Amino acid sequence: MAKRTWSTIISSAIIIGAGAGGVFWIHQYSADQLQDGGPRLAVVTTKETATTTSKPSSQTTVKKTRKQIIEDSQKKVVTIESSSGLGSGFLYNDQGDVVTNAHVVVGSKEVTIRTLNHEEYKGTVIGIGEETDVAVVRVPDLKKVKPLPIAKSKAETGDEILALGSPLGLENTVTTGIISGVGRSFEIAPYIYSNLYQISAPITHGNSGGPLISAETGEVLGINSAVVEQEGGIGFSIPITSVLKQVQAWSEKPSSSKTAVQTSGSQGAGSNSASLEAEGLVTEFYMNLNLNDYVTAYALLGSEWQSGISYAKFREGYINTSYVTIAEVSSSDKSNDEIEVTAVITADERKDGELITTKYKVTYQVGYENGQLKILHGQGKKVK
């Protein structure tokens, strides 16, 4: 479908980013309930010997129930906690490498990984896309753990699928559906999404980076990445076949020339890791505003700032802002362990029924609070 056809839909599309913002509409099912409806069996090849009417063989086809596929898959799906909030990911090789969305780990070099058994490990971002919303996190403690199998071919419309992840922080959630469309493309700055799967399985905030699994084979078909909340919850997933080569390249040669805390438009004094993290946090703040995810944006503010403005007032202040473009981002270290981030933003705002574009220069103080990077203070003024 042409990109123009999706213009009205994409105005309300959001990347289902880290954090627990948004309306609580995700459907959670138990593994037993998921057996009802749809094909229950999948054919897989194992090395176990089964009793058959044919000659015994060391390579026998054994049927797996959907419940077994879910249970096996959940062991390889993780929750990712970064400076941006919560997201999901999955093991794709035996080196302890986890695939996720770039927007889940943007602004972070080190993240926390939580497994099905609630074990926590440290992970390092070894590769992150600048325009493609994909990243790889290396978790040494998960090395040699058997990964999820990866599909070698693309899915088709009508294929039965399972979406795994941690929507709204609800870990180990599984939803079911079908591939309801293919070839969907659009842009949610700074990421470009091409030839996506459109899925009917409900997904929302926190599902980001989780795997889209074939209900027939248990193979990974895609990476759940975006949702249109205003159209009955239409989800989108990046086909794994379209990004696998890049993912493998990061695993073979972890990124060292670029810091993993990639941001859009970073320049100037923000050349070290701490400054880039601060710039990334400010960029993330405006990205969430553009997605109308005021809950996550508000959560990025420090406690002192939040104590001076309620969430309701904060949301009211941005409800008439249609879109914000951020540019000329730079940063400098302060002696009080804070980093000052400056930027020029262009805001499209609705006033008295008209769309007015206003440019501002904004300055923020960014620092750590209870171990989390926060926007502590800020101010802005109009510029010509």
Side-chain angles (χ1 to χ4, degrees):
M1 181 176 289
K3 182 176 181 180
R4 186 185 316 165
T5 310
W6 283 89
S7 59
T8 55
I9 292 182
I10 301 315
S11 65
S12 60
I14 65 171
I15 52 178
I16 46 178
V23 181
F24 193 99
W25 51 263
I26 194 73
H27 298 292
Q28 185 176 20
Y29 299 95
S30 69
D32 290 325
Q33 288 172 317
L34 287 169
Q35 278 191 281
D36 297 326
R40 299 182 180 218
L41 302 178
V43 177
V44 298
T45 301
T46 73
K47 293 185 178 180
E48 299 175 2
T49 303
T51 302
T52 64
T53 55
S54 58
K55 291 183 178 181
S57 172
S58 60
Q59 196 78 8
T60 307
T61 299
V62 178
K63 291 183 178 180
K64 256 188 177 181
T65 65
R66 182 173 296 187
K67 180 177 179 180
Q68 289 173 321
I69 289 178
I70 292 170
E71 290 177 343
D72 288 347
S73 299
Q74 285 180 318
K75 297 173 184 176
K76 289 88 179 232
V77 177
V78 300
T79 298
I80 299 175
E81 185 174 346
S82 70
S83 59
S84 300
L86 294 178
S88 304
F90 60 92
L91 279 166
Y92 96 99
N93 66 13
D94 61 3
Q95 299 302 305
D97 292 344
V98 171
V99 174
T100 186
N101 282 135
H103 74 260
V104 169
V105 297
V106 66
S108 298
K109 184 176 181 180
E110 303 291 330
V111 298
T112 299
I113 300 293
R114 192 158 48 250
T115 65
L116 175 66
N117 297 326
H118 302 288
E119 296 173 334
E120 291 192 355
Y121 305 107
K122 293 299 180 181
T124 301
V125 181
I126 62 170
I128 187 169
E130 296 182 358
E131 293 184 347
T132 303
D133 194 8
V134 177
V136 175
V137 178
R138 176 154 292 174
V139 189
D141 290 294
L142 296 181
K143 189 174 182 179
K144 302 302 181 183
V145 175
K146 186 177 180 181
L148 283 172
I150 305 298
K152 296 181 180 179
S153 58
K154 287 189 175 182
E156 299 178 350
T157 301
D159 287 352
E160 297 270 354
I161 50 92
L162 308 168
L164 282 70
S166 302
L168 304 177
L170 299 174
E171 299 179 7
N172 309 319
T173 296
V174 182
T175 55
T176 62
I178 63 169
I179 300 288
S180 50
V182 296
R184 310 308 195 199
S185 299
F186 50 81
E187 181 176 351
I188 305 175
Y191 305 110
I192 298 173
Y193 298 85
S194 302
N195 298 315
L196 302 183
Y197 296 136
Q198 178 184 329
I199 63 175
S200 65
I203 56 176
T204 191
H205 303 275
N207 269 119
S208 281
L212 186 72
I213 302 285
S214 168
E216 299 289 333
T217 66
E219 295 176 325
V220 176
L221 299 172
I223 307 165
N224 300 320
S225 304
V227 65
V228 180
E229 291 185 325
Q230 296 180 356
E231 300 292 334
I234 301 175
F236 298 93
S237 183
I238 300 172
I240 191 66
T241 53
S242 67
V243 296
L244 188 57
K245 286 185 177 180
Q246 177 61 76
V247 166
Q248 291 172 331
W250 283 327
S251 292
E252 293 171 3
K253 189 176 181 181
S255 177
S256 57
S257 60
K258 291 184 179 180
T259 177
V261 289
Q262 147 269 332
T263 62
S264 177
S266 299
Q267 55 177 300
S271 58
N272 58 57
S273 178
S275 292
L276 283 173
E277 285 192 45
E279 293 175 22
L281 186 67
V282 172
T283 302
E284 180 79 4
F285 173 76
Y286 282 106
M287 184 176 71
N288 283 302
L289 292 180
N290 286 338
L291 302 175
N292 299 327
D293 187 358
Y294 307 112
V295 172
T296 302
Y298 185 73
L300 298 179
L301 305 182
S303 59
E304 184 177 341
W305 196 341
Q306 288 184 349
S307 66
I309 182 172
S310 67
Y311 168 72
K313 286 292 184 182
F314 173 82
R315 182 178 182 275
E316 183 180 335
Y318 288 102
I319 198 70
N320 290 318
T321 301
S322 299
Y323 196 83
V324 177
T325 302
I326 183 169
E328 300 180 32
V329 184
S330 62
S331 58
S332 59
D333 294 330
K334 295 298 179 181
S335 58
N336 57 350
D337 294 328
E338 295 180 4
I339 295 175
E340 184 174 273
V341 178
T342 61
V344 174
I345 64 170
T346 303
D348 295 331
E349 302 167 298
R350 294 185 296 272
K351 294 183 179 179
D352 300 324
E354 296 183 6
L355 190 64
I356 299 175
T357 299
T358 309
K359 184 176 288 188
Y360 301 88
K361 182 176 182 179
V362 294
T363 303
Y364 295 103
Q365 274 67 48
V366 177
Y368 281 93
E369 187 175 275
N370 297 323
Q372 294 291 320
L373 198 63
K374 297 285 185 178
I375 303 176
L376 305 177
H377 310 282
Q379 59 182 357
K381 63 179 181 179
K382 289 184 180 180
V383 295
K384 293 182 179 180

